[in-house]
Amino acid sequence: MTIQPSLALATLIEGYRRFRENGWTPRRERWAALGEGQAPQIMIIACSDSRVDPAQIFDVDPGEIFVVRNVAAMVPPFETTPGFHGVSAALEFAVQVLKVKEIVVLGHGMCGGCKAALTQELYGTEPGEGGFIANWISLLDKAREPIARELGTKGRVAELAMELAGVKVSIDNLRTFPCVQHKEASGKLRLRGAFFAISDGILHLLDEESGEFTALT
Amino acid sequence: MTIQPSLALATLIEGYRRFRENGWTPRRERWAALGEGQAPQIMIIACSDSRVDPAQIFDVDPGEIFVVRNVAAMVPPFETTPGFHGVSAALEFAVQVLKVKEIVVLGHGMCGGCKAALTQELYGTEPGEGGFIANWISLLDKAREPIARELGTKGRVAELAMELAGVKVSIDNLRTFPCVQHKEASGKLRLRGAFFAISDGILHLLDEESGEFTALT
Amino acid sequence: MTIQPSLALATLIEGYRRFRENGWTPRRERWAALGEGQAPQIMIIACSDSRVDPAQIFDVDPGEIFVVRNVAAMVPPFETTPGFHGVSAALEFAVQVLKVKEIVVLGHGMCGGCKAALTQELYGTEPGEGGFIANWISLLDKAREPIARELGTKGRVAELAMELAGVKVSIDNLRTFPCVQHKEASGKLRLRGAFFAISDGILHLLDEESGEFTALT
Amino acid sequence: MTIQPSLALATLIEGYRRFRENGWTPRRERWAALGEGQAPQIMIIACSDSRVDPAQIFDVDPGEIFVVRNVAAMVPPFETTPGFHGVSAALEFAVQVLKVKEIVVLGHGMCGGCKAALTQELYGTEPGEGGFIANWISLLDKAREPIARELGTKGRVAELAMELAGVKVSIDNLRTFPCVQHKEASGKLRLRGAFFAISDGILHLLDEESGEFTALT
């Protein structure tokens, strides 16, 4: 092979070799069957953050979760304007093609995207220099307003409030999609909010009735 | 807890409990340190497909890879039009904020998104009924044209050609971002194409010189 | 192997591999001995329902329980009409050939068969379209009548009454078999009613004197 | 409780207590979710024999397999004659109500039912004295004929041939059900033959093309 592996790539290749030995070979029938097609029952929308891999946190087998990852686990609302709507395409694929039964929005602690939404420090920067992030997290603007007013824009208390609010924003936006509305009303689809607090490793689930996140014990 | 767990959610909760016992508790120092911040050196752009989880395929530790996942592992080109540019925001975060050294685009076999790009069967459907997918995978239209002409639009030969071409499209589009151009030119960033063939579990790496994907042995 | 494993089959094969490693290999002497013949002391008649596996609920070793499973844990009465009498054949095998000392009829909560007996919603459908189920659960018709009259045909109260009554019907029908009558009279065989309430995981035993089911504590 | 536990019942109660501690409590969310309903993807038809519990051999979780067990894992053909058709009712429930994707017929070594089919030693006995068994295993009569002629009616060679042939008889009979025919033809249902050789604990899968059973390695 003429590919010059960097240290980073070498790390990935080593990991792939461990996967071949421990993750693939002992389960080759499952992988062969997965070659025929996927049938996940769950879609997870999570952050791109390197610390919150849903497959690790939920210890799932290959084939079990259909995953979207972007900055801050955002779902833009249903919009038919021009442009590429990546989350909408994935949502459509999961709900209409794969017919998943559950969508989990997974927020997390120490989220850089939520922090930037709160401080608005990147607002006004050029695309490529911070402007894309600023534009993306403006999805949180409306939820940010009462938090900034009451808790300020700095410190863990305000940040945590922003992170938890972000999960609710994505769930609300999911419900702007007609196909989600119909399937949720008929009991074919459930939406869940979850939050992973990185440093203590505890998962919380959103109780939509009370609006509270409860730690799983 | 007043949350009524479905069977799908119960499966996730059980997986989380295994993670707590086997993945978190024995590594609590690492997790506590990760609570301070992330410093991944690698960004991976992969498909939402349930069978191609990068953290599983590369057997990485938490904190090592910053991950974007969408239908067909697509990267739209640099565009400053209105609308939410989710991949651009994530790219900007990875390259400008986290300063990753490597970006890997990971395609895979039996990709539903690539297949739909090839057959164009969803073209003309309404948003929410397939239209979002159709619009998203139109990113592959230009690469599709010679494949459809020479290999047709059905069967594994044409599909595989589309899947491999998709990886190259995303790498080409990454290079339309000025920040990627600058960092690659100065040796601070490398782009890689990779392809995971699900059923035989083999990873291939793109040799950009020859344009060929080579199996890792 | 030329067999194409589906995902479902792959799951079974993986489970079998765990069984080989954890359930068979460490107990190979027991298995070798079981190869010589079985000598269970207990017969269990349970529902086909995927949630009420007797070997799991009673955590038995291989070779300990002889098990019949069908819709709603039914025992048809002693009848010598033409046709295939599957439960009668199994009962005869257990009592006359294996000489078990105990027969347990295990009912359970949320039983689809009992519910269908109560609502009679499948009555009148064609064989293959619901007619076989309707015919089979007509075994509960007589026990259903007072329940439907007093508690109605919908809701958990009536359903639970039907589920508990179903256990008693099967025990009554067991006693229509002459061989059961003789062995029970001479103390060589005991009949037991039991009920597993799935969601709280509690087992109840029937006290035939009072007719009540008592939770095991 | 006024129930007098025999030694056999005491064994079951002890096992239930272990299940409560190790099988129920650590998985209480799963059990609570299962309380809402079952959604198994697999139906298994197995023998009542105490040594071949499918949940043990395939190490499945509660809720994964819908199980019919009777003498010799038999499926009578589609028949609309009077009488109680227990297997047909269970098949209808699995295929039409639960919409399972896979049906596995699991035969096994040292099967008392198959042996009795081969020797016909119970033929002519009264119902209750062996007549029910004789009648039930007459389902194997046609498959027995060439075996008895070529291999005789005694010894492991002939018995094994009868056991393997029994699996094929049940699969053939499954295909006499119109709903099975339709679903198999449209790819919504797969039928599998399997065989568990008790003393060496090895599972074999039927390759329907060649008619051979192949050991899983």
Side-chain angles (χ1 to χ4, degrees):
Chain A
M1 183 168 21
T2 62
I3 299 161
Q4 193 71 6
S6 60
L7 189 55
L9 184 61
T11 303
L12 292 184
I13 291 175
E14 279 183 19
Y16 162 71
R17 296 233 159 86
R18 287 194 302 274
F19 161 75
R20 282 294 297 178
E21 192 174 331
N22 307 318
W24 193 86
T25 304
R27 316 194 68 179
R28 61 169 65 116
E29 277 90 4
R30 182 175 181 91
W31 282 100
L34 285 171
E36 309 269 299
Q38 62 172 331
Q41 308 229 348
I42 303 168
M43 176 187 199
I44 297 189
I45 297 162
C47 186
S48 293
D49 190 295
S50 63
R51 301 164 292 180
V52 290
D53 187 89
Q56 293 182 331
I57 292 171
F58 296 116
D59 190 26
V60 292
D61 284 330
E64 290 194 325
I65 55 174
F66 183 85
V67 180
V68 165
R69 293 181 71 179
N70 58 42
V71 172
M74 286 287 96
V75 177
F78 180 82
E79 281 184 348
T80 56
T81 50
F84 299 109
H85 301 273
V87 179
S88 304
L91 179 64
E92 199 176 72
F93 199 90
V95 171
Q96 304 285 49
V97 179
L98 299 174
K99 300 185 199 311
V100 298
K101 295 182 181 162
E102 198 110 5
I103 302 177
V104 179
V105 175
L106 178 63
H108 70 94
M110 321 304 283
C111 177
C114 289
K115 190 174 179 181
L118 194 61
T119 62
Q120 299 192 329
E121 61 194 332
L122 295 172
Y123 282 48
T125 56
E126 290 297 307
E129 305 300 323
F132 282 126
I133 301 171
N135 175 255
W136 179 251
I137 58 182
S138 73
L139 284 162
L140 292 169
D141 275 358
K142 210 170 126 190
R144 169 195 180 272
E145 203 272 326
I147 294 169
R149 196 177 55 230
E150 287 166 35
L151 302 171
T153 62
K154 296 217 163 142
R156 272 308 290 156
V157 173
E159 285 165 21
L160 178 59
M162 187 74 259
E163 290 156 4
L164 297 176
V167 173
K168 295 179 188 175
V169 168
S170 284
I171 287 185
D172 287 348
N173 286 348
L174 281 173
R175 291 200 175 109
T176 63
F177 287 76
C179 63
V180 170
Q181 288 165 18
H182 298 155
K183 297 226 173 183
E184 196 183 20
S186 65
K188 288 181 181 154
L189 181 67
R190 286 191 197 217
L191 308 186
R192 308 280 187 185
F195 180 83
F196 181 68
I198 291 174
S199 47
D200 66 2
I202 294 198
L203 188 76
H204 297 69
L205 291 180
L206 170 60
D207 179 349
E208 286 204 70
E209 229 169 284
S210 68
E212 299 294 316
F213 284 81
T214 315
L216 265 181
T217 51
Chain B
M1 180 169 25
T2 64
I3 298 160
Q4 193 71 5
S6 61
L7 192 52
L9 184 60
T11 303
L12 292 184
I13 292 174
E14 282 185 17
Y16 161 70
R17 295 231 161 88
R18 286 193 302 273
F19 160 74
R20 283 291 298 178
E21 194 175 329
N22 308 319
W24 193 86
T25 305
R27 317 192 66 179
R28 60 174 57 145
E29 279 84 7
R30 183 179 178 89
W31 282 100
L34 285 172
E36 310 277 302
Q38 61 171 332
Q41 308 228 347
I42 303 168
M43 176 188 199
I44 297 188
I45 297 161
C47 185
S48 293
D49 191 296
S50 63
R51 301 165 292 181
V52 290
D53 187 89
Q56 292 182 331
I57 292 171
F58 296 114
D59 190 28
V60 292
D61 283 330
E64 290 193 326
I65 55 175
F66 184 83
V67 180
V68 165
R69 293 182 70 180
N70 58 42
V71 172
M74 286 287 96
V75 178
F78 180 81
E79 278 183 350
T80 57
T81 52
F84 300 108
H85 301 273
V87 178
S88 304
L91 179 64
E92 199 176 69
F93 199 92
V95 171
Q96 305 285 51
V97 179
L98 299 173
K99 302 187 198 307
V100 299
K101 296 184 179 159
E102 197 111 5
I103 301 177
V104 179
V105 175
L106 177 64
H108 70 93
M110 319 306 282
C111 177
C114 290
K115 191 175 178 180
L118 193 61
T119 62
Q120 300 193 329
E121 60 195 332
L122 294 172
Y123 281 49
T125 55
E126 290 295 307
E129 305 298 324
F132 282 126
I133 300 171
N135 175 254
W136 179 251
I137 58 182
S138 73
L139 284 162
L140 292 169
D141 275 358
K142 210 169 125 189
R144 170 195 178 271
E145 205 270 326
I147 294 169
R149 195 177 56 230
E150 286 165 36
L151 302 171
T153 61
K154 295 214 165 146
R156 275 307 292 155
V157 173
E159 285 164 23
L160 178 58
M162 187 76 258
E163 290 156 3
L164 298 176
V167 173
K168 295 179 188 175
V169 168
S170 284
I171 287 185
D172 288 348
N173 286 347
L174 281 173
R175 292 200 174 108
T176 63
F177 286 76
C179 63
V180 171
Q181 288 166 17
H182 299 154
K183 297 227 172 182
E184 198 183 17
S186 64
K188 287 181 184 157
L189 180 68
R190 285 189 195 223
L191 307 188
R192 308 281 186 183
F195 181 83
F196 181 67
I198 292 174
S199 47
D200 67 3
I202 294 196
L203 188 76
H204 298 69
L205 291 181
L206 170 61
D207 178 349
E208 286 205 72
E209 228 169 286
S210 69
E212 298 295 315
F213 284 82
T214 314
L216 265 181
T217 49
Chain C
M1 182 169 22
T2 64
I3 298 161
Q4 193 71 4
S6 61
L7 191 53
L9 183 61
T11 302
L12 292 184
I13 293 174
E14 282 184 17
Y16 161 70
R17 295 231 161 87
R18 287 193 302 274
F19 160 74
R20 282 293 298 179
E21 194 174 330
N22 307 319
W24 194 86
T25 304
R27 316 192 67 179
R28 61 173 56 143
E29 280 83 8
R30 183 180 177 89
W31 282 101
L34 284 172
E36 311 278 301
Q38 63 172 330
Q41 307 228 348
I42 304 168
M43 175 187 199
I44 297 188
I45 297 162
C47 185
S48 293
D49 190 295
S50 62
R51 301 164 292 181
V52 290
D53 187 90
Q56 293 182 330
I57 292 171
F58 296 114
D59 190 27
V60 292
D61 283 330
E64 290 193 324
I65 55 174
F66 183 84
V67 180
V68 165
R69 293 182 70 179
N70 58 43
V71 172
M74 286 287 96
V75 178
F78 181 81
E79 279 184 350
T80 57
T81 52
F84 299 108
H85 301 274
V87 179
S88 305
L91 179 64
E92 200 176 70
F93 199 92
V95 172
Q96 304 286 51
V97 179
L98 299 173
K99 300 187 198 310
V100 298
K101 295 181 181 163
E102 199 111 5
I103 301 177
V104 179
V105 174
L106 177 64
H108 70 94
M110 319 306 283
C111 177
C114 290
K115 191 175 180 181
L118 193 61
T119 63
Q120 299 194 329
E121 61 195 332
L122 295 172
Y123 281 49
T125 56
E126 291 294 307
E129 306 298 323
F132 282 125
I133 301 171
N135 176 253
W136 179 251
I137 58 182
S138 72
L139 284 161
L140 292 169
D141 274 358
K142 212 169 123 191
R144 169 194 181 273
E145 204 270 328
I147 294 169
R149 196 178 53 231
E150 286 165 36
L151 302 172
T153 62
K154 295 211 165 149
R156 274 308 291 156
V157 174
E159 285 165 22
L160 178 60
M162 187 75 259
E163 290 156 4
L164 298 176
V167 174
K168 295 178 187 176
V169 167
S170 283
I171 288 184
D172 288 348
N173 286 347
L174 281 172
R175 292 200 173 108
T176 63
F177 286 76
C179 64
V180 170
Q181 288 165 19
H182 298 153
K183 296 225 174 182
E184 196 183 19
S186 64
K188 289 179 180 156
L189 180 68
R190 285 189 196 222
L191 307 187
R192 307 280 186 184
F195 180 83
F196 181 68
I198 291 174
S199 46
D200 67 3
I202 295 197
L203 188 75
H204 297 70
L205 291 181
L206 171 61
D207 178 349
E208 285 205 72
E209 230 169 283
S210 68
E212 299 295 315
F213 284 81
T214 314
L216 265 181
T217 49
Chain D
M1 180 168 25
T2 64
I3 299 160
Q4 193 70 7
S6 60
L7 189 55
L9 184 60
T11 303
L12 292 184
I13 292 174
E14 279 182 21
Y16 161 71
R17 296 232 159 87
R18 285 193 303 273
F19 160 75
R20 283 292 298 178
E21 192 175 330
N22 307 320
W24 192 86
T25 304
R27 316 193 68 179
R28 61 171 63 119
E29 277 90 4
R30 184 177 180 90
W31 281 100
L34 285 171
E36 309 270 299
Q38 62 172 330
Q41 307 228 349
I42 304 168
M43 176 188 199
I44 297 189
I45 297 162
C47 185
S48 293
D49 190 294
S50 62
R51 299 163 294 180
V52 290
D53 187 89
Q56 293 182 329
I57 292 171
F58 295 115
D59 191 26
V60 292
D61 283 331
E64 290 194 324
I65 55 174
F66 183 84
V67 180
V68 165
R69 293 182 70 179
N70 58 42
V71 172
M74 287 286 97
V75 177
F78 180 81
E79 279 184 351
T80 57
T81 52
F84 299 108
H85 300 274
V87 178
S88 304
L91 179 64
E92 199 176 70
F93 199 90
V95 171
Q96 304 284 52
V97 178
L98 299 173
K99 301 188 198 308
V100 298
K101 295 183 181 162
E102 198 111 5
I103 302 177
V104 179
V105 175
L106 177 64
H108 70 93
M110 320 305 283
C111 177
C114 290
K115 190 175 180 181
L118 194 61
T119 62
Q120 299 193 330
E121 60 195 331
L122 294 172
Y123 282 48
T125 56
E126 290 296 308
E129 305 299 324
F132 282 126
I133 301 172
N135 176 253
W136 179 251
I137 57 182
S138 73
L139 284 162
L140 291 170
D141 275 358
K142 211 170 125 190
R144 168 195 180 272
E145 204 271 327
I147 294 169
R149 196 177 55 230
E150 287 166 35
L151 302 171
T153 62
K154 297 215 164 144
R156 273 309 291 155
V157 174
E159 285 165 22
L160 178 59
M162 188 74 258
E163 290 157 2
L164 298 176
V167 173
K168 296 179 188 175
V169 167
S170 283
I171 287 184
D172 287 348
N173 286 347
L174 281 172
R175 292 199 175 110
T176 62
F177 286 76
C179 64
V180 171
Q181 288 166 16
H182 298 157
K183 296 225 173 182
E184 197 183 20
S186 64
K188 288 180 181 156
L189 181 67
R190 287 190 196 219
L191 307 187
R192 308 281 187 183
F195 181 83
F196 181 68
I198 292 174
S199 47
D200 66 3
I202 294 197
L203 188 76
H204 298 69
L205 291 181
L206 171 59
D207 178 349
E208 285 206 70
E209 229 169 285
S210 68
E212 299 295 316
F213 283 82
T214 314
L216 266 181
T217 50

